[in-house]
Amino acid sequence: MPEKEFDLLRERWIRVMGPGGKTEEVSLTEAFRRAHEFRGLAGELPVQDIAVLRLLLAVLHAVFGRCDTQGNYAPLCANADPRPTPADALKRWKALWDMGRFPMNFIEEYLQGYEDRFWLFHPERPFYQAAWMEDRKDVFGPFEASKLNGELSESDHKARLFPQRAGSEKNTLSYAEAARWLLYVNGFAETFGKLEAKGKPGKGAPSLGVGWLGKLGLIAAAGNSLFETLMLNLVFLKDGGRELWGEEKPVWEAETVPAAERNEIAVPDNPSELLTLQSRRLLLKREGGAVNGYVLLSGDFFQKENAFAEQMTVWRNAAKKETDPPQWVPKRHNPARQVWRDFPALAAQSGGAEWRRPGVISWLALLEERGLLPRAPVRLQTAGVAYGTMEAVIEDVFDDSITFSAALLTSLGADWVNRVIDEIGTAGRLANQIGRLQGNLIQASGYRKKQVSFDKDFASRVNAAKEQAYFRLDTPFRVWLRGIDPERDRMADASARWWDTAQRVVRKLGRELVARCGPQAFAGHGEVLPAPKAYNLFLYATSSRDILNQEGKRNGRKGKTGGRVRQA
């Protein structure tokens, strides 16, 4: 890589959305300077935006984890002398928030001090890359630029029916595009599968797996502007508690680029090091002013168990026995499951036996308790990647969001959280009754248990009906949750509103299922319930909360829905 090219501090490469909805590309410096003007990041994919967001947060931690808003050196790290207090961290955050925009003189001075580390192409330190890979023979690749582009990700077996690009455009990327996808691949790259098994470290070497971000149930707070989004995710106290971070060590401050492949490191004790983790060693290839390929190797990783320095993931307890100590691992999102159904994991107050909420949510709860947030709903965004066989193929990318009162995250909102969780359970029981009805209708239409070849189809149709119920309840639940004001609403009234809505929505779906049945389903035969009786049973089960709960418990004891379909 003989010459420097494309300075990320000055060249336009970060995609943002302006107040009018128009997208544009800006430089790294301009993204900070005008953050208060932009609605948010607007890259090609939500997962790409998460990767860019983490880079921007790393810069802010590197700057304001060391200096106050006046540029005075006053590190917030635990080993500083004199040692700062949690109150100092909150005071600094509040001072930045009240400014309404970032003080650019300090940010620009810091970035210019490391300008040589922010060139996309550089003879010694290309940004987020390893120049020493130029002459290595044991690298994976070269891969075409199309593999770098997350919009063009294709499985090993078939190409996209309607690809975003075609012809020569598919095989090249502009420098701006390549810079964005470089961050994405570093965080979400699939595992090498069979290739990795043949790698140089030898038999028994640790497997890196997918990129670090691909292992997470990613979640971030979203504000009304890029400035607010960055500030809400700028966690100055670990898990919103009283623990200060270690000294900031972003990757561009390191003296050298590690040459080790599959390099296991300790869990970082500071945000900027974790946010710039190099899960892959990469090196872009260029020709004619465009990127036409790249090579890569496995990079740095650490064990995911109890890696609580990561603030942007949901956690689940993976301990095998209830008596075992908790073993917290990141809980990936299910692309087929609405995020509100995972509300218990997001809003868990004490992180009981099953869930531990993300650090960024605990941070928001602290800001709310201290009165540092404006009176407005909090919006959380999730994003993730679904991998295929052996996690060697990216099958899907997805995102979702949920909005509710920030007061629900505090100790004052604990009773409300429990009530919301109960109402999610109500939604689940209503969906189960839809599944029970569908199972009865399928049997009334002529299904026989002896038709073993149809068992999978039977279960699939029942589950599809339940998912349709969740789909119908999706928007109403989001509207209901967002409308809750814990300081003004009566809990009983809010619950009654949800029951009336949910019951109406699910019963309407039940009528539609019955209407789609053929004449045979209404006649009945043998011990199978005819459609009218199955529908009456459904109406009874959904006639009141108490009866719905009783039916749920009864069917739960049987382990089946109506003695026919297993409960979800």
Side-chain angles (χ1 to χ4, degrees):
M1 192 170 291
E3 73 231 16
K4 296 190 293 185
E5 197 171 5
F6 205 75
D7 182 359
L8 297 174
L9 302 186
R10 295 177 175 81
E11 300 282 357
R12 298 177 179 273
W13 65 281
I14 296 177
R15 289 186 64 180
V16 295
M17 179 177 292
K22 183 180 179 180
T23 60
E24 61 177 298
E25 291 182 349
V26 297
S27 68
L28 180 60
T29 304
E30 190 176 5
F32 288 115
R33 182 182 296 110
R34 299 174 55 199
H36 58 287
E37 300 177 14
F38 303 131
R39 289 170 57 179
L41 297 171
E44 287 85 345
L45 294 175
V47 284
Q48 184 196 88
D49 286 340
I50 284 283
V52 175
L53 177 68
R54 288 169 70 94
L55 168 66
L56 298 176
L57 288 171
V59 173
L60 293 177
H61 275 290
V63 175
F64 297 108
R66 295 182 174 119
C67 298
D68 61 22
T69 56
Q70 303 303 313
N72 301 311
Y73 182 70
L76 292 175
C77 61
N79 60 354
D81 187 19
R83 182 186 174 95
T85 66
D88 293 328
L90 290 172
K91 182 179 179 181
R92 184 169 303 177
W93 187 91
K94 178 61 172 173
L96 276 171
W97 178 269
D98 288 343
M99 294 176 73
R101 62 178 65 193
F102 293 116
M104 286 306 300
N105 48 341
F106 312 130
I107 295 177
E108 286 187 284
E109 181 180 355
Y110 170 79
L111 290 174
Q112 288 171 4
Y114 291 96
E115 183 175 3
D116 264 8
R117 309 288 170 84
F118 285 90
W119 288 85
L120 188 62
F121 298 99
H122 190 281
E124 297 175 358
R125 291 292 296 268
F127 178 74
Y128 265 49
Q129 299 168 74
W132 50 258
M133 295 176 67
E134 184 75 39
D135 300 321
R136 286 278 290 265
K137 304 299 182 184
D138 59 346
V139 297
F140 294 125
F143 299 106
E144 293 183 346
S146 58
K147 187 172 177 60
L148 187 68
N149 186 341
E151 284 190 304
L152 297 177
S153 295
E154 298 171 350
S155 75
D156 290 337
H157 305 292
K158 60 183 179 180
R160 287 177 179 263
L161 182 60
F162 300 107
Q164 299 290 328
R165 299 186 181 196
S168 60
E169 287 188 0
K170 179 179 177 180
N171 298 320
T172 61
L173 291 171
S174 70
Y175 289 164
E177 291 173 314
R180 295 192 295 270
W181 290 119
L182 176 66
L183 298 177
Y184 163 82
V185 170
N186 181 68
F188 292 97
E190 63 270 38
T191 185
F192 296 136
K194 295 180 180 179
L195 287 176
E196 188 179 43
K198 298 177 182 178
K200 298 301 181 183
K203 187 177 180 180
S207 175
L208 181 67
V210 300
W212 174 242
L213 301 190
K215 300 175 183 178
L216 307 180
L218 278 165
I219 188 162
N224 295 319
S225 67
L226 179 56
F227 170 80
E228 288 190 4
T229 296
L230 288 168
M231 287 300 302
L232 293 174
N233 292 283
L234 190 62
V235 181
F236 277 156
L237 293 171
K238 184 178 179 182
D239 290 332
R242 300 186 60 82
E243 185 177 348
L244 295 164
W245 295 106
E247 183 180 354
E248 299 293 347
K249 300 176 183 177
V251 66
W252 51 79
E253 292 186 14
E255 290 300 321
T256 59
V257 176
E261 182 185 0
R262 302 192 216 180
N263 182 41
E264 184 170 0
I265 63 174
V267 178
D269 66 353
N270 65 96
S272 60
E273 183 179 2
L274 185 139
L275 291 167
T276 58
L277 177 73
Q278 302 295 283
S279 293
R280 295 290 185 266
R281 314 274 188 236
L282 295 110
L283 187 64
L284 300 177
K285 301 294 183 179
R286 57 179 165 167
E287 182 179 1
V291 171
N292 62 353
Y294 68 103
V295 295
L296 84 165
L297 289 168
S298 295
D300 300 328
F301 75 103
F302 47 80
Q303 297 302 319
K304 63 183 180 181
E305 290 80 9
N306 302 323
F308 298 135
E310 177 56 64
Q311 301 291 284
M312 299 172 73
T313 189
V314 180
W315 302 89
R316 66 176 178 85
N317 186 3
K320 295 181 179 179
K321 300 179 181 178
E322 291 185 3
T323 55
D324 291 343
Q327 187 179 55
W328 301 104
V329 298
K331 177 187 178 296
R332 287 171 166 170
H333 300 303
N334 182 347
R337 183 181 174 94
Q338 298 92 342
V339 65
W340 57 264
R341 293 164 64 181
D342 289 327
F343 183 81
L346 301 180
Q349 294 284 334
S350 59
E354 190 174 0
W355 310 112
R356 178 186 171 109
R357 69 182 180 185
V360 67
I361 293 182
S362 295
W363 170 249
L364 295 175
L366 176 64
L367 296 178
E368 174 68 15
E369 287 178 341
R370 299 299 176 85
L372 302 181
L373 287 180
R375 184 181 173 83
V378 61
R379 182 160 59 98
L380 302 175
Q381 291 184 317
T382 63
V385 167
Y387 298 92
T389 306
M390 293 180 63
E391 298 192 325
V393 176
I394 293 176
E395 290 191 337
D396 192 16
V397 294
F398 55 90
D399 67 297
D400 200 351
S401 65
I402 185 172
T403 303
F404 53 86
S405 170
L408 293 179
L409 300 176
T410 69
S411 57
L412 297 176
D415 290 341
W416 274 98
V417 167
N418 291 331
R419 181 58 63 92
V420 171
I421 292 173
D422 288 343
E423 299 304 351
I424 293 173
T426 296
R429 287 185 284 276
L430 287 170
N432 285 340
Q433 290 302 326
I434 284 290
R436 181 186 184 193
L437 173 63
Q438 177 74 318
N440 287 334
L441 294 177
I442 293 173
Q443 293 185 75
S445 298
Y447 172 87
R448 296 290 187 276
K449 289 185 179 181
K450 293 182 179 180
Q451 294 174 293
V452 179
S453 61
F454 289 97
D455 280 353
K456 290 184 179 179
D457 177 64
F458 180 58
S460 175
R461 291 169 64 186
V462 169
N463 288 331
K466 292 167 64 175
E467 288 305 315
Q468 181 65 17
Y470 276 118
F471 176 78
R472 297 284 185 93
L473 292 169
D474 183 49
T475 297
F477 185 87
R478 293 174 192 269
V479 172
W480 174 76
L481 180 61
R482 179 168 185 167
I484 291 176
D485 186 341
E487 297 180 3
R488 298 179 181 178
D489 289 349
R490 291 181 65 250
M491 202 176 294
D493 293 341
S495 293
R497 289 196 302 271
W498 170 242
W499 169 255
D500 290 343
T501 299
Q503 181 194 49
R504 182 175 65 255
V505 168
V506 168
R507 284 189 160 190
K508 182 176 185 295
L509 176 58
R511 290 195 299 272
E512 293 175 10
L513 293 178
V514 174
R516 290 198 290 264
C517 289
Q520 184 177 1
F522 287 82
H525 47 85
E527 298 181 355
V528 175
L529 292 175
K533 288 188 176 181
Y535 183 58
N536 286 336
L537 179 62
F538 167 75
L539 291 179
Y540 171 75
T542 60
S543 59
S544 71
R545 274 184 195 277
D546 290 341
I547 292 176
L548 179 69
N549 293 340
Q550 291 171 7
E551 288 293 301
K553 291 178 181 178
R554 181 172 66 84
N555 293 324
R557 286 194 297 270
K558 288 182 179 181
K560 298 181 180 180
T561 301
R564 295 173 175 82
V565 183
R566 186 170 298 277
Q567 285 271 41

